[in-house]
Amino acid sequence: MDNTQFDDATQREIAQVIEEEAGKKHIQDVTSGHTMRCWETCVFDAKSSTLSSRESVCFENCVSRFLESSGIVVNRIRAKSQE
């Protein structure tokens, strides 16, 4: 799209929307990738309709570590942006 036909305010708004959407996609990609890693690490019988207790605990721990580490990263980014 050729955005030269828009005024400066509209161009900034378009750029902001694009940046926000790119950020959302990045979060989705990271989450999806981590979910796949947890699945590959923890699930041994993908043909079963339920997870075994061992698989369930492994998956919960894997996801919890991901959420905890993501929280740490977000907090560090916020702290740096406020400096």
Side-chain angles (χ1 to χ4, degrees):
M1 175 195 322
D2 179 16
N3 63 359
T4 58
Q5 62 189 347
F6 300 114
D7 62 27
D8 287 344
T10 303
Q11 288 182 25
R12 283 191 300 274
E13 187 176 337
I14 291 169
Q16 182 179 357
V17 168
I18 290 171
E19 185 177 332
E20 289 171 2
E21 291 301 315
K24 289 177 189 177
K25 182 180 182 325
H26 177 71
I27 290 169
Q28 289 175 336
D29 290 346
V30 169
T31 302
S32 177
H34 192 77
T35 300
M36 288 304 299
R37 278 191 294 282
C38 288
W39 182 268
E40 291 167 356
T41 301
C42 298
V43 178
F44 304 104
D45 182 14
K47 295 177 185 173
S48 175
S49 62
T50 59
L51 296 176
S52 70
S53 60
R54 179 179 173 206
E55 291 169 330
S56 182
V57 168
C58 178
F59 205 79
E60 287 175 24
N61 289 336
C62 185
V63 170
S64 292
R65 283 191 301 272
F66 169 68
L67 293 174
E68 183 179 343
S69 62
S70 295
I72 291 168
V73 170
V74 167
N75 289 336
R76 286 188 182 169
I77 290 170
R78 281 186 187 148
K80 284 193 178 268
S81 70
Q82 293 175 352
E83 290 177 353

